[in-house]
Amino acid sequence: MANIKVMDASLANKIAAGEVVERTMNVVKELVENSIDAKSTRIEITLEDAGVKRIVVQDNGKGMSKEDAHLAFLRHATSKITQLEDLFHVTTLGFRGEALPSIASVSHVSLLTSDGKEGTFLKLEEGKIKEESSSSLVRGTTITVEQLFYNTPVRLKYLKNLYTELALITDYINKMALSYPSIQFILKNNDKQLLNTTGDGNLLKVIYEIYGIEVAKKMLPLALENEDYRIEGYMSYPEVARTNRNVMTTLVNGRVIRNSVLNRVILDAYHTYIPKDKFPILIMNIEVDPILIDINIHPTKMDIKFSKMDTLKELLTKGIVENLKKTLLIPHASVRTQETIEEVLQNSPPPAPKPFLDFVEDNYEVKENETTQLHFETETMTNRQETEEEETEEVTSNQDAHATIKRMFPVGVVHTTYIIAENEEGMFIIDQHAAAERINYEKYLKELSKETTELVPLLVPLSLEFSNEEYLLIKEKLDQIKDLGIICEEFGQNTLVIREHPTWFVEGKEKETLQKIMEILQREDTFSKEKFIEKTAITLACRMSIKANDYVSIEDMQYLLDTLTACKNPFTCPHGRPTIIAYSKYDLEKMFKRSAES
Ligand code: ZN
Ligand code: ZN
């Protein structure tokens, strides 16, 4: 019996309603998905002029019989769906069977295919078979699409945007290669090879083939599990973050999907580790019982709703955050090495990592005397005995899942901005502002999140005057900040007065602190306490920390370094900039080529 069935017309129309083959990218996608469905282990995509002139997709899959080859070009033929209900249980990718006839109607297509028993060659123009013959019995299918859109007005548009088309196709093939590490993908355009994966099943190797060795070295395995979901993949160190959000790839049961909620979860988990406009390289496959998902099928994308989104969010957030915390995230000064992917793979965790629970309980060592628990007394903070004790406790309890930096000793400072320090592992350059900012940020965050706020009375009440507009924006939100200890009284025309303030207000800069808080309050559209605390902590930390060009004594540097190492995340400032850059002893030896003399 033929593999391809002719779908009933009403079903075909339902699907075809949204179906359009309107870009070269759609054509490549359809052909590649057919190749994947045919169980190919090698798929070669050869383009001329980004596919507008010619697209050739050659695979070594199971091929088609003569009958199937004919059926494939019949409108609404599909090998996968016969009933609408089936749409929701489709396990293959190219489920829109009418794609081939659609493609054939806007291009010149030829098909060379064999299932190993018979070989068929078809040539079509305007959707009709013009030539037919038998061909070789080499198993697999080669489809050539030429003069795409030759009979439609859109052709001209694509000829002008070849780079955009090529970028879209490359991104798509990259995602397929990441989704199917066991399939070899080769992508060429005008004789230039853009991708060639080995197809040996190793995901980290695919990451290397797409992003290069520096990125492959900086990937952390993800392996998370709860009752309903299982997540596997890799996430990058913050330092290799990119400006294009396409570097985040999510698969559900092996299929690439787009889900803005999950992207948000990922970015939130990386919050303060990477700058706002950057995205981590992350590839993950979520395994889930199809009962828990609702697939919204659209011809160009897959959108999925998860019915237990909360537990998924929690699992993913926890996994990413733990991973970031337990990894020493100091960017290394780039030293050109000849490291090969084989060496990286050897030093990397296995591609199929251990289940999550074993993973967090990894024999993590707390080095008590090496991670100092001193506290940095900035001009901004009055240290009270009790907070100090509390904080010591928290820092200690926090360390069980936390990577440690060995104690660093300051050597000096350059450009009154960068502290040079060393320890037995190497040399470090620390940005004094970024470091102080991180320390103060964590301190403010802690103070602001306290259940009860201690208040300090002011000898002279503080008053702030606003414009009409400002006052309106602030007034409606004043109630919300009361439980943070900021109690404002209205006092005449557009004026607010406070008579006491929380202890975390910057001493000597109370008015400026209040002003900053009011500025943040004005900008908030909808008030969320959590976001407000976060923004206030970042703003105050930046304003009140030592700046570049501020003089810092060597004793203060030591204090700064010690306090920084005790931070929950000592590696970036709250804006995501790095605080520390490291040159390991090995890096230094390599740069000075010392190994050559020994
Ligand atoms: Zn700053
Ligand atoms: Zn910053």
Side-chain angles (χ1 to χ4, degrees):
M1 201 187 115
N3 263 331
I4 294 185
K5 299 168 194 152
V6 177
M7 204 195 296
D8 93 63
S10 75
L11 169 58
N13 290 336
K14 276 175 192 152
I15 299 173
E19 171 63 45
V20 258
V21 178
E22 55 173 14
R23 321 192 64 130
T24 45
M25 151 73 186
N26 299 144
V27 177
V28 172
K29 185 168 184 282
E30 293 300 335
L31 299 180
V32 168
E33 290 184 353
N34 283 339
S35 294
I36 294 171
D37 287 346
K39 309 241 178 307
S40 310
T41 56
R42 182 183 188 282
I43 302 172
E44 183 168 345
I45 305 104
T46 311
L47 309 174
E48 262 178 58
D49 291 349
V52 176
K53 199 166 174 195
R54 180 183 289 126
I55 299 167
V56 183
V57 176
Q58 182 178 25
D59 71 45
N60 62 355
K62 64 183 180 193
M64 290 180 230
S65 67
K66 196 168 161 185
E67 192 190 349
D68 278 351
H70 279 260
L71 279 173
F73 288 100
L74 263 184
R75 186 153 281 278
H76 311 318
T78 175
S79 57
K80 296 121 196 169
I81 309 165
T82 48
Q83 295 290 317
L84 187 60
E85 295 76 65
D86 286 352
L87 260 182
F88 297 94
H89 300 106
V90 194
T91 51
T92 48
L93 297 164
F95 51 83
R96 294 179 304 281
E98 82 280 34
L100 271 184
S102 298
I103 294 167
S105 68
V106 292
S107 65
H108 296 167
V109 173
S110 61
L111 168 78
L112 187 68
T113 188
S114 171
D115 58 3
K117 293 185 210 97
E118 50 188 346
T120 310
F121 174 77
L122 294 180
K123 196 174 163 133
L124 290 95
E125 267 171 41
E126 304 199 332
K128 294 191 183 65
I129 296 171
K130 294 278 165 190
E131 229 184 283
E132 180 175 358
S133 58
S134 11
S135 70
S136 88
L137 295 181
V138 180
R139 224 176 68 122
T141 301
T142 303
I143 294 187
T144 306
V145 176
E146 284 171 303
Q147 303 295 318
L148 190 58
F149 305 126
Y150 75 101
N151 51 359
T152 72
V154 293
R155 179 172 173 83
L156 211 61
K157 187 173 128 202
Y158 291 121
L159 284 172
K160 283 183 195 152
N161 297 301
L162 293 184
Y163 283 106
T164 320
E165 284 309 299
L166 192 58
L168 280 174
I169 294 170
T170 308
D171 179 51
Y172 168 72
I173 299 296
N174 284 349
K175 282 197 172 358
M176 284 299 109
L178 291 166
S179 313
Y180 298 92
S182 302
I183 300 177
Q184 181 183 16
F185 283 91
I186 300 165
L187 174 64
K188 291 177 189 160
N189 181 58
N190 295 349
D191 293 330
K192 190 168 184 268
Q193 184 170 289
L194 301 171
L195 185 71
N196 184 358
T197 64
T198 47
D200 68 357
N202 189 324
L203 180 58
L204 192 57
K205 228 169 180 174
V206 181
I207 292 170
Y208 154 71
E209 279 144 357
I210 293 173
Y211 298 107
I213 194 84
E214 285 307 312
V215 168
K217 271 155 74 175
K218 286 169 182 154
M219 297 303 286
L220 299 162
L222 268 179
L224 317 165
E225 203 171 0
N226 68 13
E227 247 175 56
D228 303 303
Y229 298 99
R230 193 183 156 79
I231 302 176
E232 281 202 1
Y234 285 94
M235 55 179 264
S236 72
Y237 285 31
E239 56 178 292
V240 293
R242 297 297 220 257
T243 50
N244 185 337
R245 70 164 65 232
N246 280 339
V247 295
M248 299 186 291
T249 304
T250 303
L251 292 88
V252 170
N253 295 344
R255 231 189 267 197
V256 175
I257 60 140
R258 267 179 222 279
N259 187 297
S260 51
V261 181
L262 285 180
N263 281 352
R264 193 69 257 160
V265 172
I266 295 167
L267 293 177
D268 282 347
Y270 271 91
H271 179 61
T272 83
Y273 283 93
I274 51 176
K276 258 203 192 115
D277 49 353
K278 294 247 175 129
F279 304 93
I281 299 171
L282 187 145
I283 155 96
M284 64 172 175
N285 181 31
I286 303 173
E287 268 175 52
V288 56
D289 185 331
I291 271 178
L292 289 179
I293 51 179
D294 181 10
I295 309 172
N296 180 11
I297 297 171
H298 183 273
T300 50
K301 65 166 195 240
M302 269 290 209
D303 197 10
I304 280 195
K305 282 204 187 86
F306 299 87
S307 62
K308 289 196 180 172
M309 192 58 175
D310 284 349
T311 65
L312 178 59
K313 268 185 188 172
E314 202 188 300
L315 179 69
L316 184 58
T317 305
K318 192 169 172 234
I320 295 175
V321 169
E322 295 287 338
N323 238 354
L324 289 171
K325 267 211 262 173
K326 68 204 280 289
T327 312
L328 209 54
L329 292 171
I330 306 176
H332 273 249
S334 68
V335 179
R336 288 269 148 240
T337 57
Q338 299 295 313
E339 211 167 358
T340 62
I341 184 62
E342 280 68 31
E343 284 168 301
V344 172
L345 288 170
Q346 243 170 35
N347 298 328
S348 293
K354 294 179 278 176
F356 181 62
L357 282 175
D358 299 347
F359 195 62
V360 276
E361 282 162 11
D362 251 353
N363 57 335
Y364 179 79
E365 251 178 89
V366 182
K367 290 165 193 156
E368 274 297 340
N369 37 5
E370 278 161 347
T371 309
T372 147
Q373 287 164 11
L374 291 173
H375 296 277
F376 188 49
E377 198 169 355
T378 60
E379 41 166 336
T380 71
M381 279 290 177
T382 31
N383 273 336
R384 289 168 314 283
Q385 200 52 43
E386 58 198 84
T387 17
E388 214 166 24
E389 276 158 21
E390 270 175 38
E391 196 152 338
T392 312
E393 261 172 45
E394 201 191 302
V395 167
T396 321
S397 66
N398 226 302
Q399 278 175 355
D400 47 322
H402 191 308
T404 44
I405 308 172
K406 291 213 167 117
R407 190 172 192 202
M408 297 178 284
F409 301 94
V411 176
V413 65
V414 287
H415 301 302
T416 39
T417 301
Y418 309 106
I419 298 168
I420 310 294
E422 66 165 349
N423 66 20
E424 68 262 42
E425 289 176 345
M427 180 181 99
F428 304 88
I429 305 178
I430 296 99
D431 179 318
Q432 65 183 38
H433 171 67
E437 200 176 40
R438 161 57 61 181
I439 293 163
N440 284 324
Y441 164 70
E442 292 195 5
K443 212 148 194 177
Y444 280 119
L445 208 55
K446 190 166 183 294
E447 290 287 328
L448 279 148
S449 310
K450 274 188 183 160
E451 286 286 306
T452 50
T453 319
E454 261 180 88
L455 296 176
V456 186
L458 281 155
L459 290 177
V460 184
L462 258 178
S463 72
L464 283 183
E465 216 184 305
F466 304 91
S467 75
N468 274 329
E469 192 198 346
E470 288 169 341
Y471 197 66
L472 286 172
L473 287 169
I474 294 166
K475 215 181 127 181
E476 52 176 327
K477 297 166 202 150
L478 286 179
D479 269 354
Q480 319 252 32
I481 55 170
K482 269 191 184 147
D483 54 337
L484 291 171
I486 305 159
I487 301 147
C488 300
E489 287 168 37
E490 294 186 48
F491 192 82
Q493 187 84 17
N494 299 347
T495 304
L496 292 176
V497 165
I498 62 164
R499 297 178 196 280
E500 46 189 2
H501 65 76
T503 43
W504 50 261
F505 261 46
V506 183
E507 215 181 307
K509 290 185 180 173
E510 290 85 358
K511 188 156 184 168
E512 195 185 336
T513 309
L514 187 63
Q515 244 156 4
K516 281 283 146 209
I517 288 170
M518 291 304 160
E519 281 169 27
I520 295 166
L521 209 55
Q522 271 177 58
R523 287 195 299 263
E524 293 294 275
D525 285 339
T526 49
F527 185 87
S528 132
K529 190 173 166 187
E530 206 180 309
K531 283 220 171 89
F532 176 76
I533 289 177
E534 168 77 12
K535 279 186 190 161
T536 307
I538 293 180
T539 308
L540 293 185
C542 185
R543 298 289 293 194
M544 310 307 173
S545 295
I546 42 160
K547 305 271 181 300
N549 296 318
D550 281 352
Y551 170 77
V552 183
S553 72
I554 204 100
E555 291 77 19
D556 285 348
M557 286 179 211
Q558 184 68 65
Y559 216 55
L560 184 79
L561 298 180
D562 290 344
T563 320
L564 181 68
T565 35
C567 278
K568 285 185 191 170
N569 164 17
F571 311 109
T572 53
C573 84
H575 304 95
R577 282 204 300 120
T579 50
I580 313 174
I581 289 172
Y583 289 80
S584 69
K585 259 177 102 178
Y586 175 80
D587 289 341
L588 294 169
E589 276 162 17
K590 201 145 194 163
M591 281 187 286
F592 287 102
K593 309 209 182 300
R594 294 196 69 87
S595 41
E597 266 181 48
S598 59

